Amino acid sequence: MKNLVRKNILALKPYSCARDEFKGEASVYLDANENPLNAPYNRYPDPLQWEVKNKISKIKRVAPEQIMLGNGSDEPIDLIYRIFCEPKEDNVVAIAPTYGMYGVCADINNVEYRSVPLNEDFTLDASKVLAATDAHTKVVWLCSPNNPSGNLLKKSEIEKILNNFNGIVVIDEAYVDFSSEYSWLNSLNKYPRLIVLQTFSKAWGLAAVRCGMAFASEEIIGFFNKVKYPYNINILTQRLVSEEIDQEDRKKEWVEMLLKQRAMLAEMLNQLPIVEKVYKSDANFLLTKVTDANGIYNYLVGKGIIVRNRNTVQLCGNCLRITVGTKEENETLIDALKAY
Ligand SMILES: *Cc1c(COP(=O)(O)O)cnc(C)c1O
């Protein structure tokens, strides 16, 4: 790990806030230059969000010390570059097509981003990913189920990467709730250089709240905590997420409903003459190959229906990425497509 972390981060003495120096209960707090009035918003929030993490720990069966919470998954994605990748010197390897933020954060941090295409059917070839790595590769980015293709990457291929690459392997599981097969959270203790990302933005219905999760070894989480803004998760988010976790059953009902709708939407799409292929999805969207993605996209915009045009994305020519909506929304889409 010492060889993977940037030297300045290894040597970093993190900012010590008042809430770090004194932990515990007291009756008079005069240590943080807060206003004594306007409770509870006058006080700085818990910098390590232990209450939320303890609840996440219970539902995910991961120790609270192995969890980092961020302003969406975007925050841990950026922090991974800042912790491990020396600008202009190190590189990362990612699959293509995949989520755009890995590449954007590489550019922001001035780190070389090496893109390895998936096979035509979006399956992963571990040997190609491994072949793209060299002594300066710090991170391999995987996303499973993958965005925008929607498929789960094969476990045995990911294992080849975990077993043969000596750097950090990130598996972004933003859509894991929609996939019945497996999560890599169960393998965290087996692979000390594995980071798993999940989020409250999709299945939990909390995209506006901005709360993402990174799961890793205590050592890696320690580096996240050193580098992140001290109070990165505000008290409103901490309280709301904590309350939402108490309603996990509701999330499970939503997922069930969306999975049913996903099957129905796929079936309806497959019956349309303008649809050439609906790719198998383990997520809450369907990558759909159509006869004319640009024309259909613009037509739908005219009807007030917005899907994602992925036509210019690698391996996604003439593809639209369609999020599964409510029954009514999906039917509105299908009716419009029938009239195209
Ligand atoms: C939507 C999505 C996320 C979620 O990002 P947040 O910043 O947590 O909202 C992360 N990864 C992938 C691949 C996504 O598609």
Side-chain angles (χ1 to χ4, degrees):
M1 192 59 59
K2 300 262 177 321
N3 294 326
L4 287 173
V5 175
R6 290 169 68 201
K7 289 193 183 66
N8 61 315
I9 301 299
L10 270 180
L12 179 70
K13 192 176 174 304
Y15 174 71
S16 174
C17 58
R19 286 291 166 273
D20 285 330
E21 240 161 69
F22 177 81
K23 298 188 181 91
E25 291 299 314
S27 54
V28 179
Y29 285 100
L30 301 175
D31 59 344
N33 296 348
E34 298 151 336
N35 187 324
L37 306 175
N38 204 28
Y41 305 113
N42 58 331
R43 300 292 175 193
Y44 282 102
D46 177 0
L48 293 173
Q49 312 101 18
W50 287 116
E51 190 187 324
V52 190
K53 284 181 186 172
N54 285 332
K55 285 193 184 181
I56 295 172
S57 168
K58 289 212 176 76
I59 61 169
K60 302 285 182 186
R61 296 168 211 273
V62 173
E65 295 78 15
Q66 290 184 266
I67 306 171
M68 179 267 175
L69 298 182
N71 184 335
S73 309
D74 298 339
E75 184 178 352
I77 291 169
D78 185 51
L79 287 175
I80 287 166
Y81 284 101
R82 293 168 64 196
I83 293 167
F84 297 106
C85 300
E86 201 56 48
K88 296 201 253 183
E89 195 176 304
D90 291 329
N91 66 70
V92 304
V93 172
I95 54 174
T98 195
Y99 187 46
M101 274 307 281
Y102 319 139
V104 171
C105 288
D107 289 344
I108 291 170
N109 288 287
N110 209 358
V111 170
E112 184 195 348
Y113 183 84
R114 300 181 174 179
S115 222
V116 176
L118 293 167
N119 298 320
E120 286 284 328
D121 59 355
F122 300 117
T123 52
L124 171 67
D125 185 341
S127 62
K128 281 195 214 156
V129 170
L130 290 167
T133 64
D134 63 19
H136 284 288
T137 305
K138 292 294 187 71
V139 180
V140 167
W141 292 97
L142 300 171
C143 182
S144 179
N146 187 35
N147 180 2
S149 51
N151 60 311
L152 205 66
L153 301 178
K154 203 166 158 194
K155 200 171 183 191
S156 55
E157 289 300 302
I158 294 184
E159 271 166 356
K160 281 184 205 163
I161 296 173
L162 284 164
N163 289 325
N164 293 292
F165 172 62
N166 290 325
I168 300 294
V169 177
V170 183
I171 305 177
D172 186 342
E173 293 191 332
Y175 300 98
V176 74
D177 305 79
F178 302 102
S179 151
S180 47
E181 284 199 37
Y182 65 87
S183 164
W184 286 94
L185 283 188
N186 308 319
S187 310
L188 272 186
N189 295 335
K190 186 170 171 193
Y191 299 109
R193 285 171 282 103
L194 170 64
I195 300 175
V196 176
L197 302 180
Q198 292 188 6
T199 179
F200 284 96
S201 294
K202 306 284 157 66
W204 290 88
L206 294 170
V209 168
R210 310 306 303 134
C211 191
M213 299 165 264
F215 302 90
S217 69
E218 264 192 74
E219 190 179 15
I220 292 178
I221 296 300
F223 287 113
F224 275 117
N225 290 340
K226 234 173 132 174
V227 176
K228 76 178 185 70
Y229 290 163
Y231 303 110
N232 62 326
I233 307 290
N234 69 66
I235 194 173
L236 298 173
T237 298
Q238 291 192 39
R239 287 188 167 191
L240 189 96
V241 169
S242 180
E243 285 167 19
E244 296 276 333
I245 294 172
D246 293 339
Q247 306 190 62
E248 198 195 5
D249 287 348
R250 201 179 53 160
K251 182 211 82 167
K252 288 179 178 165
E253 283 165 27
W254 290 341
V255 168
E256 248 173 70
M257 181 279 282
L258 289 169
L259 292 182
K260 252 184 228 153
Q261 285 304 314
R262 183 177 78 192
M264 284 181 54
L265 182 59
E267 196 180 312
M268 294 190 290
L269 285 168
N270 268 316
Q271 286 168 8
L272 300 174
I274 54 163
V275 168
E276 295 189 345
K277 185 174 172 84
V278 180
Y279 288 91
K280 184 186 174 309
S281 172
D282 298 291
N284 66 334
F285 57 84
L286 292 168
L287 189 72
T288 307
K289 198 179 194 79
V290 293
T291 46
D292 174 16
N294 292 338
I296 295 167
Y297 174 80
N298 290 328
Y299 163 80
L300 287 174
V301 170
K303 297 259 175 194
I305 301 169
I306 315 302
V307 298
R308 198 83 198 270
N309 187 357
R310 300 284 75 187
N311 181 45
T312 56
V313 171
Q314 201 164 2
L315 302 178
C316 297
N318 267 332
C319 284
L320 301 173
R321 193 193 68 190
I322 304 173
T323 307
V324 178
T326 62
K327 186 168 188 290
E328 293 70 28
E329 289 172 325
N330 301 335
E331 285 170 359
T332 303
L333 169 77
I334 294 294
D335 287 345
L337 288 175
K338 277 180 182 162
Y340 177 73

